[in-house]
Amino acid sequence: MVMLSKSLRLQRPDRGEDPAGWGRGDIVAFTNRMGHLSASGKLSASRRLAFTRFVRRVLLRFRTLGLAGPGGLLEGMPVGFALWPEDMPDEPEYTEAGRDLPEEVMRVLCANLDLLEEMSTTEVRVATELLIDTGRRPDEIYTLALDCLETDPDGSPVLVYDNHKAYRLGRRLPIGGETADVIRRQQQRVRARFPDVAPARLKLLPRPKTNPEGTKPVSGIASRHRKWADSLPDLTVPVITMEAGTRVTHLVPFDKARIFTYAYRHCYAQRHADAGVPPDVLKELMDHRAITTTQGYYRIGAERRREAVDRVTALQFDRHGNRVWRAAQSLLDSEHVRRAIGEVATPYGVCREPSNVAAGGHACPLRFRCLGCEHFSTDVSYLPDLKVHLADLLRSRERLMSAFEADDWARTQAMPSNEEIGRVRRLIDRVSSDLDQLTAEDRAQIEQAVALVRRSRTVHLGMPRVGQPLPDVRPPRNPLP
Ligand code: SF4
């Protein structure tokens, strides 16, 4: 009401002191002013809606109390001085980009899901897992039907849910196999608990009490989720600042108030944007009508990838394990371009041999013996792949040395040489020891960048485009190291 008064004071020549002079134009001016305050960041979208609703109710109440009638305090207030349904702002989407949770925080949350179950119920845990994995709005998950899991014609699992907000029912969201398993296990629990109720009537997440037929959905998840998040140990996240022209990483405390059930929707959007999912596909995944709404959910994936590439490239090595010296703190623009067109990915690094690059990585003159090739380099983000490669080499050497049937020439060629095994071991040691020398802050920053770069790499190796499988960006449930 104070804001309405202010608007009248600013708008009207009589500073709004005569109620009989108020009119429709003053209401329009008030709603425009609220819109302007919201657009300029001085008023959040939800407060704008709450204030406007309140003013509407109060003006209506004035009238029903007869204050606008003869002798009333607001005598002469015209009928047009009221807020109509079309004056009300839209329900805000929680669209402020950057509300996603950092990788480190998600890792801690996923590693503590058992604790959430202990502190609440299995339903709360399953709901949280589904919020994390599917990015649906909380009420879309809480009200899922028991038979919410279907398959597409190619056999891939699909979650069927209702988008209550946009009144769109029976929406289908592609999900990963592990998420489908979470649903299947929950379906079994519910069927065992309500064996006599027709499955079509049951909820996937039935309320644990006062629910004899399993038809009422679970409630109160947000508060139990809050308690759980607050009970977790203090969280820190790496933040980079520029100090005297140098990037310095600090570990700063993370505000647990930012961990709420809706934040997982932002994380879902951000994970997919980081993985290179095109905006139009992401819009469909988020089930938005307008792409601008989707764009409000994530920070541009390409920018974040670029920052991450800068960070991992700072820990780059040649095939001998020598650090490729880099004076600049970040890659030059031209280098980013070169990374896009002047190199191809190999299983554990990159190749810059021009003819192989031109052939998209299919024309290696050395038959992919990258660890012995001068055109090869690797960086810290390939460390897991190098370790897998070493294990593969050792395993195939064992097999070839046993009673494997093969001609001598084939066996000799296929046998991994001691040089190759030694080279990959040295490379792993070098990368690991350089990582060990980093401060905890820098290490955390690098780990974050590695996760992001690896995720988008999966995509570049041919995973998602429209009509093709989506990248599996489900946060892992591994225990913390
Ligand atoms: S062996 Fe050399 S040329 Fe062949 S893919 Fe590996 S780095 Fe490129």
Side-chain angles (χ1 to χ4, degrees):
M1 295 311 290
V2 169
M3 295 184 98
L4 176 63
S5 301
K6 263 191 196 162
S7 170
L8 286 171
R9 257 204 307 282
L10 288 170
Q11 275 301 118
R12 295 202 57 80
D14 65 349
R15 296 172 43 87
E17 298 200 350
D18 176 14
W22 302 346
R24 179 76 198 144
D26 298 313
I27 289 291
V28 172
F30 166 68
T31 53
N32 286 348
R33 186 171 144 76
M34 297 292 274
H36 168 72
L37 290 174
S38 173
S40 57
K42 293 184 184 131
L43 187 69
S44 73
S46 54
R47 282 170 80 77
R48 176 188 173 197
L49 178 65
F51 287 179
T52 315
R53 275 185 182 150
F54 182 79
V55 170
R56 184 177 184 215
R57 270 204 314 276
V58 172
L59 292 182
L60 207 66
R61 191 93 178 107
F62 284 170
R63 200 165 297 287
T64 51
L65 286 172
L67 299 185
L73 195 64
L74 301 169
E75 186 176 350
M77 184 173 85
V79 177
F81 191 74
L83 281 153
W84 298 341
E86 55 269 36
D87 296 323
M88 305 308 291
D90 288 338
E91 283 271 352
E93 276 269 2
Y94 291 96
T95 52
E96 291 97 30
R99 290 175 64 134
D100 64 303
L101 302 172
E103 198 91 24
E104 299 77 12
V105 173
M106 281 308 298
R107 214 177 303 143
V108 174
L109 295 178
C110 289
N112 279 285
L113 288 166
D114 288 346
L115 175 66
L116 173 63
E117 192 170 350
E118 269 170 40
M119 290 177 66
S120 54
T121 61
T122 304
E123 279 70 28
V124 176
R125 182 216 175 107
V126 172
T128 306
E129 285 208 64
L130 294 182
L131 288 169
I132 292 172
D133 290 358
T134 68
R136 297 310 87 189
R137 298 180 184 91
D139 68 315
E140 292 166 357
I141 292 296
Y142 305 162
T143 54
L144 283 173
L146 182 72
D147 52 2
C148 60
L149 184 62
E150 292 188 8
T151 48
D152 269 344
D154 66 354
S156 8
V158 174
L159 177 78
V160 180
Y161 69 98
D162 292 337
N163 177 347
H164 305 288
K165 187 158 190 263
Y167 307 105
R168 297 158 101 184
L169 306 183
R171 312 301 293 165
R172 295 172 70 85
L173 177 80
I175 55 173
E178 286 165 291
T179 309
D181 288 343
V182 171
I183 296 176
R184 282 191 198 102
R185 286 195 292 272
Q186 176 63 14
Q187 285 174 326
Q188 285 167 5
R189 277 190 288 269
V190 175
R191 279 202 203 100
R193 195 176 139 203
F194 302 101
D196 301 327
V197 183
R201 296 182 57 220
L202 289 169
K203 293 289 176 199
L204 180 72
L205 300 166
R207 188 191 299 174
K209 291 182 187 162
T210 61
N211 191 15
E213 303 215 298
T215 49
K216 296 180 194 158
V218 68
S219 59
I221 291 188
S223 58
R224 281 181 276 182
H225 181 276
R226 171 82 277 130
K227 259 191 205 152
W228 166 66
D230 288 342
S231 76
L232 296 174
D234 287 344
L235 303 167
T236 53
V237 288
V239 167
I240 298 181
T241 53
M242 292 302 283
E243 291 175 15
T246 314
R247 283 186 351 179
V248 181
T249 309
H250 298 285
L251 282 180
V252 298
F254 184 78
D255 180 7
K256 287 187 197 159
R258 283 182 56 196
I259 307 172
F260 53 97
T261 49
Y262 206 98
Y264 299 128
R265 187 159 166 81
H266 288 265
C267 298
Y268 177 87
Q270 190 66 62
R271 280 199 307 274
H272 284 80
D274 288 344
V277 172
D280 53 335
V281 179
L282 191 47
K283 168 183 159 278
E284 295 303 318
L285 291 174
M286 298 292 282
D287 203 21
H288 287 145
R289 285 209 171 92
I291 202 160
T292 45
T293 311
T294 311
Q295 284 163 344
Y297 267 83
Y298 61 89
R299 288 165 283 163
I300 303 302
E303 265 174 36
R304 300 224 311 168
R305 274 202 298 282
R306 186 182 166 126
E307 280 173 25
V309 166
D310 279 355
R311 259 171 253 145
V312 298
T313 311
L315 280 175
Q316 197 179 20
F317 301 82
D318 68 12
R319 68 187 191 281
H320 301 291
N322 298 321
R323 185 92 169 257
V324 177
W325 182 77
R326 177 165 295 283
Q329 285 294 316
S330 61
L331 294 181
L332 300 173
D333 282 355
S334 57
E335 286 183 274
H336 275 282
V337 174
R338 179 166 52 71
R339 283 183 78 93
I341 59 167
E343 63 186 29
V344 284
T346 71
Y348 30 83
V350 290
C351 163
R352 297 206 178 95
E353 201 285 317
S355 62
N356 189 38
V357 172
H362 299 295
C364 168
L366 209 58
R367 293 170 67 193
F368 300 101
R369 300 290 200 279
C370 298
L371 289 161
C373 175
E374 63 166 331
H375 300 289
F376 170 78
S377 68
T378 188
D379 64 49
V380 63
S381 65
Y382 287 97
L383 187 56
D385 309 289
L386 285 166
K387 287 181 178 168
V388 168
H389 182 53
L390 177 61
D392 280 349
L393 289 177
L394 295 173
R395 213 174 304 121
S396 36
R397 187 169 68 174
E398 285 298 310
R399 284 195 70 200
L400 289 167
M401 279 167 35
S402 66
F404 189 86
E405 292 289 327
D407 290 345
D408 283 349
W409 64 267
R411 182 190 301 276
T412 312
Q413 280 206 358
M415 179 73 82
S417 67
N418 288 337
E419 286 83 358
E420 186 175 9
I421 291 173
R423 173 72 54 92
V424 77
R425 270 208 176 106
R426 276 197 300 281
L427 206 45
I428 290 172
D429 288 348
R430 241 350 270 284
V431 180
S432 306
S433 77
D434 274 31
L435 260 183
D436 290 343
Q437 285 165 24
L438 295 176
T439 62
E441 286 84 359
D442 283 342
R443 209 183 148 91
Q445 194 75 56
I446 287 284
E447 280 169 6
Q448 196 181 49
V450 164
L452 207 154
V453 167
R454 288 183 66 82
R455 204 150 62 209
S456 54
R457 183 176 302 145
T458 324
V459 176
H460 292 144
L461 290 175
M463 290 221 20
R465 281 295 171 257
V466 184
Q468 290 189 6
L470 286 163
D472 183 5
V473 292
R474 179 187 199 249
R477 304 293 191 260
N478 303 340
L480 292 172

